[in-house]
Amino acid sequence: MNGVSYFIVSFSGALLAILIISLSAFLFARPLIKWVVGRFTKRLMSDRYPENIWEMVTALTRTSPRIVVENSLRAARAGVIERPFGSPRKFLNFDGLVFSPAQLAVLPANEFADVDMRITIGPCAAKPLKLDIPILAGAMGYGIGVSEKVKIAIAKGTAAVGTSTNSGEGPLLPEERACAKYYILQYNSGHWSKDPETLRQADAIEIHIGQGATAGAASFIPPDFLEGRARELLQVPEGEFLVIPSRHREISKPQDLKNLVDKLRRITGGVPIGVKIVPSGRLEADLEVAIQAKVDFISIDGGQAGTKGGAPILEDDFGLPTIFALSRAVRYLNRRGVKERISLLTGGGYATPGECLKALALGADGVYMGTALLWAMTHDQVTKSIPWEPPTQLAYYTGNMKEEFDEEKAAKNLSNFLTSCVDEMRVAIRALGKTSLSAVNADDLVALDEWTSKVTNIRLAHEPYTRPGPVERPVQLPVQKATSIPSMAQSLNPVNTYKRTWVHSFFSFLLRKKKR
């Protein structure tokens, strides 16, 4: 009984203390807050600038917080800093384009009409790669980028919707290949994943020349970033740096690309062979080398592309933005008459179904998505890491939380994301009055500003639409008989005008005199 009484008294005392503290806080909170804010405001309004905290605001307005933090990272330790996800710069993008909905002149498609979203990569290859949807998983390398669980999740998610995954510059991961329905192998500039047995497992081979976030620069990965299985598959000795060279050993001059393409075509039995490049100011010259090499597809990775980590100078200050690169590439391939033979894949910053469909309307044959897929896969799993760790710790090979990543859930989320994107694109295609992705083209777009219009060659929205059709014949006016009336040229001559006036006056005088 004493114990029960003790508990009741203790509980009552604690409850009373809480009530008193709460009441005190309620009574004194407003005066306390008012006093603190008042003191702070008074100092803010009276201290000299060198002593005023407001100096931080003006400094961060002049130089963005991002640059201040990145410069602090440079000051903390010598060496190149590596920024994940690509450049935060805002380039010209697809927001300056809108679709023209079908209304009366062109009727919308039936709401239940089936829409064909299939694409073919390398239509002239002996073994073309046929996908059910036009969105492909971007390149993410195992070991040098993401973890085994992430690679398997991407393989399963893409297989569920009938599209391809991409090995990236990392080694072929057997479990990924087993789970993937379609697999694009990147032929990297290193020494791994190049034996014929590995190459023959690919549904297409993409020769990696450059990428949007790191240009064509070499990569150096420290030994402590490559512990475990990845080191074995990459064939890197213990304690050594992994170096991904800036150039392929087989390519010492532009003409060598054709020899490599022919070699890979022979080994694989005719799967599509392509190249991946970062677009430069000399884009057309690079495209011409690829055309001469008789590639089956070209992947262009624009300046907004992401990566596991790249030098900010390469992410921010190298490579053309995606919309510039895509527009120029389409024009050049059409001019060369090879657009129907060489498939064009585009990547770099795509995050929404609308952006993807606009790129396809401009002439792309398929769209790579990378960072957007990572966010879709991690979905609500990010709650496992935030607020103390960034979500990348769940996905990266070196992440300290990679074992907590649920690959089955991630695969389902990825499948849902890709299905939703393609379903939205189907709705849009019906709204254009069409039932096939291949029927969508640049005529379905208008530009909202002159800069976007100039870059893409798309008609400005304020310009009137002229419907194509038979040319109307001009109205023929009846031909009048020739008269003595002087020609226009004569009438404009001052001398002729003077003569005509004098003659008219003379005859008028004679007629008046005769009447009299």
Side-chain angles (χ1 to χ4, degrees):
M1 188 69 180
N2 291 337
V4 174
S5 301
Y6 177 77
F7 173 78
I8 293 174
V9 171
S10 299
F11 179 79
S12 301
L15 183 62
L16 181 62
I18 292 172
L19 290 174
I20 293 173
I21 292 172
S22 300
L23 183 62
S24 301
F26 177 76
L27 293 174
F28 297 107
R30 291 188 63 182
L32 180 63
I33 293 172
K34 184 177 180 180
W35 179 81
V36 171
V37 171
R39 292 278 297 177
F40 176 78
T41 304
K42 186 175 181 180
R43 289 197 60 181
L44 192 69
M45 298 299 184
S46 58
D47 282 0
R48 295 171 58 249
Y49 237 128
E51 304 165 357
N52 200 316
I53 192 63
W54 192 256
E55 179 188 283
M56 287 287 293
V57 176
T58 57
L60 293 176
T61 302
R62 175 182 173 85
T63 306
S64 76
R66 172 181 65 83
I67 294 176
V68 170
V69 171
E70 288 183 352
N71 283 344
S72 294
L73 293 175
R74 293 182 176 104
R77 60 184 62 85
V80 176
I81 65 173
E82 292 190 343
R83 181 207 292 149
F85 294 126
S87 176
R89 285 186 62 180
K90 299 298 180 184
F91 296 104
L92 183 75
N93 54 32
F94 295 89
D95 288 346
L97 297 173
V98 293
F99 286 104
S100 297
Q103 298 282 277
L104 294 173
V106 176
L107 297 177
N110 184 279
E111 58 270 23
F112 299 112
D114 185 40
V115 179
D116 186 2
M117 301 297 290
R118 293 173 296 178
I119 65 168
T120 299
I121 299 173
C124 295
K127 300 176 181 178
L129 175 55
K130 298 180 179 181
L131 305 178
D132 295 337
I133 65 172
I135 301 176
L136 299 75
M140 301 181 205
Y142 167 64
I144 64 173
V146 295
S147 70
E148 179 175 329
K149 288 187 173 185
V150 170
K151 292 298 288 180
I152 294 174
I154 296 175
K156 291 180 177 180
T158 53
V161 295
T163 191
S164 69
T165 187
N166 190 302
S167 71
E169 291 184 279
L172 183 144
L173 183 65
E175 294 84 350
E176 177 191 13
R177 172 62 273 198
C179 294
K181 185 175 183 179
Y182 302 111
Y183 185 80
I184 296 178
L185 175 69
Q186 271 198 358
Y187 190 86
N188 62 81
S189 56
H191 59 271
W192 52 91
S193 298
K194 291 188 172 182
D195 58 284
E197 183 181 351
T198 297
L199 296 174
R200 291 191 188 104
Q201 296 185 52
D203 296 298
I205 291 183
E206 186 177 68
I207 303 171
H208 182 281
I209 304 295
Q211 62 188 68
T214 57
S219 297
F220 300 87
I221 302 176
D224 54 338
F225 281 22
L226 279 178
E227 298 299 332
R229 190 181 181 198
R231 176 177 292 279
E232 298 173 10
L233 293 175
L234 287 164
Q235 303 168 26
V236 180
E238 189 72 29
E240 289 189 11
F241 266 77
L242 172 68
V243 179
I244 306 178
S246 58
R247 292 166 53 173
H248 288 261
R249 293 179 181 177
E250 302 101 321
I251 303 176
S252 58
K253 56 183 182 299
Q255 294 77 12
D256 291 337
L257 177 62
K258 185 177 186 308
N259 296 331
L260 179 56
V261 170
D262 292 342
K263 169 189 168 184
L264 294 174
R265 194 170 278 140
R266 286 193 304 271
I267 292 174
T268 60
V271 303
I273 309 297
V275 292
K276 178 179 180 178
I277 60 173
V278 54
S280 72
R282 296 181 290 273
L283 175 60
E284 289 75 13
D286 291 332
L287 292 174
E288 186 59 36
V289 174
I291 292 171
Q292 294 299 326
K294 300 188 182 306
V295 298
D296 298 300
F297 67 94
I298 298 173
S299 302
I300 296 184
D301 205 34
Q304 294 99 310
T307 182
K308 183 215 173 196
I313 191 172
L314 297 178
E315 294 180 354
D316 297 343
D317 304 301
F318 276 72
L320 299 181
T322 302
I323 194 169
F324 289 81
L326 173 61
S327 301
R328 283 176 56 177
V330 170
R331 283 198 292 271
Y332 189 74
L333 294 180
N334 279 325
R335 192 182 311 139
R336 290 286 282 104
V338 296
K339 182 64 178 65
E340 300 303 317
R341 177 175 68 82
I342 299 177
S343 302
L344 181 62
L345 306 181
T346 176
Y350 292 99
T352 68
E355 292 171 345
C356 294
L357 189 58
K358 289 173 186 177
L360 294 163
L362 288 176
D365 295 295
V367 177
Y368 275 124
M369 295 182 82
T371 302
L373 300 192
L374 274 179
W375 285 112
M377 283 191 297
T378 51
H379 185 41
D380 56 0
Q381 291 194 57
V382 297
T383 57
K384 297 177 181 179
S385 62
I386 58 175
W388 311 119
E389 299 283 352
T392 50
Q393 293 301 307
L394 286 168
Y396 284 176
Y397 182 77
T398 54
N400 55 29
M401 304 185 71
K402 65 181 181 181
E403 295 303 324
E404 297 186 37
F405 184 79
D406 187 335
E407 67 186 67
E408 295 299 331
K409 185 176 182 181
K412 181 61 177 176
N413 291 144
L414 177 57
S415 171
N416 289 343
F417 173 76
L418 291 172
T419 300
S420 296
C421 286
V422 175
D423 282 348
E424 283 192 40
M425 293 165 69
R426 286 193 175 98
V427 170
I429 292 171
R430 292 190 193 102
L432 293 172
K434 302 180 178 183
T435 58
S436 172
L437 174 64
S438 60
V440 180
N441 55 52
D443 291 336
D444 295 313
L445 295 166
V446 291
L448 301 179
D449 61 85
E450 292 188 5
W451 190 218
T452 302
S453 174
K454 187 173 182 179
V455 169
T456 60
N457 279 354
I458 297 297
R459 177 174 57 91
L460 278 163
H462 67 75
E463 294 176 349
Y465 173 71
T466 304
R467 185 170 184 173
V471 179
E472 296 183 2
R473 297 180 62 184
V475 178
Q476 297 291 330
L477 297 175
V479 180
Q480 295 181 346
K481 293 182 179 180
T483 64
S484 59
I485 299 176
S487 67
M488 180 65 73
Q490 290 175 322
S491 66
L492 293 176
N493 189 321
V495 176
N496 289 338
T497 302
Y498 171 76
K499 288 180 180 179
R500 188 169 62 251
T501 304
W502 183 86
V503 172
H504 181 269
S505 300
F506 176 74
F507 280 104
S508 297
F509 171 75
L510 291 178
L511 288 172
R512 285 198 302 271
K513 188 173 183 181
K514 185 176 180 180
K515 287 180 180 180
R516 290 176 184 171

